[in-house]
Amino acid sequence: MAQELEMENSNEGTLQRLFQRLVAMMSGFLQWLFFTVLSVGPIPNHIAFIMDGNRRYAKSQKLGPGAGHKAGFSSLISILESCYKIGVKYVTVYAFSIDNFKRDPIEVQSIMDLMLEKIDELLKEESIVSSHGIRINFFGNLELLSEPVRMAVAKAMVETAKNTNVVLSVCVAYTSTNEIVHAVQESCREKIAQALLNSKFNCEMRDFERGYNTLSKVDCSITLEDLERHMYLAECPDPDLLIRTSGETRLSNFLLWQTTFCYLHVLDALWPEVSPWWLGWVILHYQRAKPYIDKRMKVL
Amino acid sequence: MVTLQLPLPTMNNRIFSHFNPKPASCLCRVRNRSRAFPSNKYGIFASWTAADAVFGGKEGTTTTTTKEEERLLPSELQPELMPKHVAVIMDGNVRWARQRNLPSSFGHQAGVKALRDLVDVCCKWEIRVLTVFAFSTENWLRPKLEVGMLMNLFEMVLKEDLENLMRQDVRISVIGDSKKLPKSLQKLKTKVEDTTRNNSGLQLIIAVNYSGQYDIVEACKSIAEKTKDGMIQPNDITEAVIEQELETNCTKFPHPDLLIRTSGEQRISNFLLWQLAYTELAFVKSLWPDFGKADFVDVLCSFQQRQRRYGGRDS
């Protein structure tokens, strides 16, 4: 009797698993179909995400501390996978702002520990980074990070440098205003160095001081191109689409310079709740707005 | 929890403007305002409305209210949560005119009326700064006729409204590269700024031939000159140093609390980039000439329900 009951339970479990597999296969097929239809229209080359709502998600699901950010990371992998399938070439995410250092030190430390853990995972052979050829860049004021995190970040960038399919830019210890300050500082240093170099080569040694004093006559004006060259995200094109989750409607000091003409979209869903379906849905909105954006951009 | 959006967004489907649950009266007004303009069978009504919008309302169509009643905030709004600085991208004038088969100049004139009404409301509700994006650097690429008309319109409005603005104690500042503007407008701009400099009410900042990137580049040029002269070292360049050089240094509140863009477009379009770091954004479907007090109240309702954390956490 007990054996019969056990067999019955085992059959039920097998049926359940088969059913789940069937549902997963159907879902995968429908998703493939959806993405194929999407690809008929214009696909954004670069999507930026403000991954907001991890902690609120953990609270709503009654999860422990740090669980929200772990769920957020899973969501990131899923979205990255979808971007790869749809044909998005550049993905930029706002992982940690300089302002976030104001939070509870325990929370900050747990996020840093999570970053270390996940960087290790991503660099493994079997991870999505290897299978899909994803290059990872970390942008921000990395000096503000602790040494272990800085070293892990540097390692990730070196080891994925040869990948070319998708570029994932992770903004950590980043704010846009800090990025602009950095660009201004570098541009000024470059101009001064150029001016000094010109003065030095044009003068004999004894006239070097006179040459140095002619620095004031040299043009040190900074151009838009100078600033853009020194931005952290200089090697990426500007985003076509910026998505913020959790319903907040602000940029929170993210990519202010680069989102000049970017299409902005807010999802009410919290970041860990965002699925590939949501991404496809937002891309549909983007495709709807694109003809008008292109018309305006053509005028430029 | 996941909020679904309709497969085929209608005109009423809000996307970036996040209207949290609020009094039903606010929501109804928004939906009615953001509806597409009526079809051709209301063509006659449409022409009347256009003329009315440009030249003022008919007599007897508005209810009379006392000055005290006008000054009072609507009951939905809390005085302590009012934004100090509101920025507006006044988009949709030309589309408004096209919908009514009118020339674009009518749209811009209707837009001026909407701006006058907004300035009036901001003065009454004691908003400290109102910044409006009147003309961007990219707008020079519009047809020459339209650009010429806009320059004339700016001049005409500044001349005609100066007296009224003085009465309302409004201080006017014009930001943007004025060197490209007609000489007469440049002179008028200086005159208006000087005349209203000591006014202490609403500060109306008009962005003409302005772009956010241009503002930052000009600030950087100025800083680069200072580093070249040895007045400042590159390492000493901070966010505060850059802020002081931006054109919005003409006000005590350079960072808008709220940015409103009309006509449903969801872009910043090179407006006040640096200053918008933590600004709440509201994208409203109404075209600018249709944006009225009711729409403004709805946006303010939504603004007052938002939690602004500046990267930190709630306690």
Side-chain angles (χ1 to χ4, degrees):
Chain A
M1 184 74 173
Q3 266 183 351
E4 278 174 13
L5 205 63
E6 209 178 294
M7 269 183 68
E8 220 174 273
N9 285 341
S10 163
N11 285 340
E12 246 179 59
T14 312
L15 274 171
Q16 215 171 23
R17 278 194 296 276
L18 270 174
F19 180 71
Q20 280 168 358
R21 263 183 82 179
L22 192 63
V23 166
M25 278 172 64
M26 280 291 295
S27 176
F29 172 72
L30 286 172
Q31 213 176 80
W32 169 84
L33 200 60
F34 184 31
F35 288 167
T36 308
V37 167
L38 271 183
S39 63
V40 170
I43 297 294
N45 187 40
H46 182 175
I47 303 181
F49 294 93
I50 301 179
M51 305 184 292
D52 198 12
N54 295 318
R55 196 161 171 267
R56 271 169 280 172
Y57 174 81
K59 220 170 165 178
S60 70
Q61 302 293 315
K62 296 185 176 44
L63 302 172
H69 290 103
K70 283 192 174 137
F73 179 78
S74 305
S75 188
L76 171 62
I77 296 301
S78 157
I79 292 298
L80 209 52
E81 173 107 37
S82 306
C83 286
Y84 170 79
K85 285 178 185 165
I86 294 170
V88 176
K89 176 81 178 169
Y90 294 88
V91 176
T92 301
V93 295
Y94 200 8
F96 195 84
S97 157
I98 292 176
D99 297 318
N100 294 155
F101 281 112
K102 289 187 289 203
R103 293 180 179 180
D104 180 8
I106 296 174
E107 184 186 339
V108 172
Q109 189 55 46
S110 77
I111 294 172
M112 294 297 142
D113 291 341
L114 181 71
M115 216 181 299
L116 280 174
E117 182 192 324
K118 295 305 175 187
I119 289 174
D120 265 339
E121 253 179 55
L122 286 174
L123 294 180
K124 287 187 177 136
E125 194 73 33
E126 58 275 16
S127 80
I128 187 179
V129 164
S130 305
S131 59
H132 293 345
I134 297 175
R135 188 169 103 219
I136 308 182
N137 289 326
F138 286 87
F139 294 125
N141 193 347
L142 304 180
E143 299 297 314
L144 297 176
L145 300 172
S146 63
E147 204 183 320
V149 178
R150 267 207 314 275
M151 285 175 58
V153 149
K155 183 182 171 194
M157 288 200 278
V158 162
E159 289 195 16
T160 60
K162 58 187 181 315
N163 296 341
T164 52
N165 287 345
V166 177
V167 178
L168 169 65
S169 303
V170 182
C171 292
V172 63
Y174 172 93
T175 58
S176 198
T177 46
N178 181 263
E179 181 184 19
I180 293 170
V181 166
H182 169 262
V184 173
Q185 287 175 342
E186 290 303 307
S187 301
C188 286
R189 286 191 190 107
E190 187 184 68
K191 292 289 176 187
I192 290 172
Q194 263 173 19
L196 277 177
L197 202 65
N198 290 339
S199 304
K200 196 175 172 184
F201 283 122
N202 288 339
C203 302
E204 293 178 9
M205 203 55 169
R206 62 186 167 83
D207 288 334
F208 177 70
E209 266 191 38
R210 187 152 43 106
Y212 189 87
N213 289 336
T214 64
L215 182 64
S216 59
K217 296 192 185 93
V218 175
D219 180 24
C220 277
S221 58
I222 289 180
T223 63
L224 188 113
E225 289 73 26
D226 291 327
L227 286 182
E228 288 195 321
R229 209 173 52 249
H230 290 110
M231 292 285 176
Y232 292 139
L233 277 92
E235 58 183 81
C236 300
D238 289 345
D240 303 292
L241 169 62
L242 183 142
I243 301 173
R244 180 167 187 153
T245 53
S246 87
E248 302 294 352
T249 46
R250 49 183 182 259
L251 292 172
S252 293
N253 216 336
F254 181 54
L255 301 184
L256 300 173
W257 181 274
Q258 295 84 349
T259 52
T260 326
F261 298 102
C262 175
Y263 176 72
L264 310 172
H265 194 105
V266 159
L267 285 174
D268 284 339
L270 304 172
W271 175 250
E273 293 166 345
V274 172
S275 69
W277 294 102
W278 280 115
L279 176 66
W281 181 240
V282 175
I283 292 177
L284 265 179
H285 280 288
Y286 164 80
Q287 289 178 341
R288 194 168 178 262
K290 184 115 176 34
Y292 186 75
I293 297 173
D294 281 347
K295 200 170 134 189
R296 304 301 298 166
M297 294 306 289
K298 263 195 195 135
V299 173
L300 304 180
Chain B
M1 61 275 169
V2 162
T3 306
L4 283 178
Q5 292 190 14
L6 295 172
L8 290 171
T10 63
M11 286 293 288
N12 292 340
N13 193 359
R14 304 178 312 257
I15 298 169
F16 207 94
S17 69
H18 178 70
F19 289 86
N20 279 319
K22 53 188 174 168
S25 58
C26 287
L27 201 56
C28 284
R29 277 207 296 279
V30 166
R31 286 189 173 152
N32 289 338
R33 288 285 176 156
S34 62
R35 194 173 55 221
F37 191 73
S39 60
N40 284 337
K41 68 177 178 176
Y42 298 114
I44 297 167
F45 175 78
S47 309
W48 178 86
T49 309
D52 172 47
V54 171
F55 300 114
K58 273 186 174 179
E59 283 178 18
T61 54
T62 52
T63 54
T64 48
T65 51
T66 64
K67 278 200 173 354
E68 278 304 315
E69 281 167 351
E70 281 178 356
R71 194 167 289 123
L72 286 175
L73 275 180
S75 56
E76 307 93 296
L77 298 177
Q78 299 173 58
E80 64 275 13
L81 296 178
M82 288 293 283
K84 288 197 174 58
H85 182 167
V86 174
V88 182
I89 301 178
M90 305 182 291
D91 198 11
N93 293 333
V94 175
R95 267 170 284 173
W96 185 92
R98 278 199 195 126
Q99 281 177 355
R100 290 153 180 76
N101 298 318
L102 295 168
S104 59
S105 56
F106 272 72
H108 292 301
Q109 284 168 18
V112 166
K113 185 180 182 298
L115 175 58
R116 282 185 181 127
D117 292 343
L118 182 65
V119 167
D120 206 37
V121 164
C122 288
C123 286
K124 290 187 170 104
W125 293 351
E126 294 175 358
I127 286 170
R128 304 297 298 273
V129 185
L130 173 66
T131 303
V132 295
F133 202 9
F135 193 88
S136 82
T137 50
E138 286 81 26
N139 290 153
W140 288 109
L141 297 163
R142 289 191 174 188
K144 274 195 177 146
L145 209 61
E146 187 181 342
V147 171
M149 186 275 305
L150 279 169
M151 293 297 135
N152 290 337
L153 186 63
F154 292 147
E155 260 187 81
M156 185 188 81
V157 169
L158 283 176
K159 277 182 192 155
E160 283 179 3
D161 285 33
L162 182 57
E163 202 181 307
N164 196 31
L165 291 168
M166 284 299 291
R167 225 175 314 139
Q168 289 181 299
D169 204 23
V170 171
R171 181 184 163 191
I172 300 206
S173 305
V174 180
I175 61 174
D177 184 6
S178 56
K179 293 191 283 295
K180 264 188 98 172
L181 301 177
K183 289 266 183 278
S184 54
L185 186 53
Q186 288 183 42
K187 281 187 188 149
L188 183 60
K189 166 207 161 217
T190 310
K191 180 189 167 194
V192 164
E193 282 179 328
D194 289 340
T195 309
T196 60
R197 195 176 301 281
N198 296 323
N199 290 349
S200 55
L202 169 76
Q203 183 171 9
L204 173 61
I205 300 177
I206 308 173
V208 181
N209 193 28
Y210 177 89
S211 97
Q213 285 185 343
Y214 160 85
D215 198 2
I216 294 171
V217 169
E218 290 300 304
C220 296
K221 278 184 188 168
S222 169
I223 292 168
E225 286 295 318
K226 289 180 182 171
T227 51
K228 189 182 71 175
D229 295 338
M231 287 167 64
I232 185 172
Q233 297 300 315
N235 285 344
D236 297 331
I237 299 171
T238 60
E239 291 179 23
V241 168
I242 294 178
E243 282 234 16
Q244 275 166 22
E245 301 293 334
L246 293 173
E247 296 223 46
T248 43
N249 61 7
C250 61
T251 175
K252 272 195 288 191
F253 308 101
H255 297 266
D257 299 295
L258 172 65
L259 170 79
I260 302 169
R261 179 171 187 152
T262 52
S263 86
E265 296 302 322
Q266 292 161 214
R267 300 188 299 281
I268 305 298
S269 292
N270 214 347
F271 183 47
L272 292 180
L273 299 183
W274 176 284
Q275 297 87 338
L276 293 181
Y278 299 100
T279 303
E280 295 292 328
L281 309 176
F283 295 98
V284 178
K285 288 283 184 190
S286 305
L287 301 175
W288 174 244
D290 291 329
F291 185 82
K293 188 171 161 184
D295 291 303
F296 192 40
V297 169
D298 288 328
V299 172
L300 290 174
C301 275
S302 168
F303 168 79
Q304 292 194 346
Q305 290 174 16
R306 297 183 192 183
Q307 284 185 327
R308 305 180 77 189
R309 294 184 292 271
Y310 300 92
R313 282 272 182 234
D314 298 329
S315 51

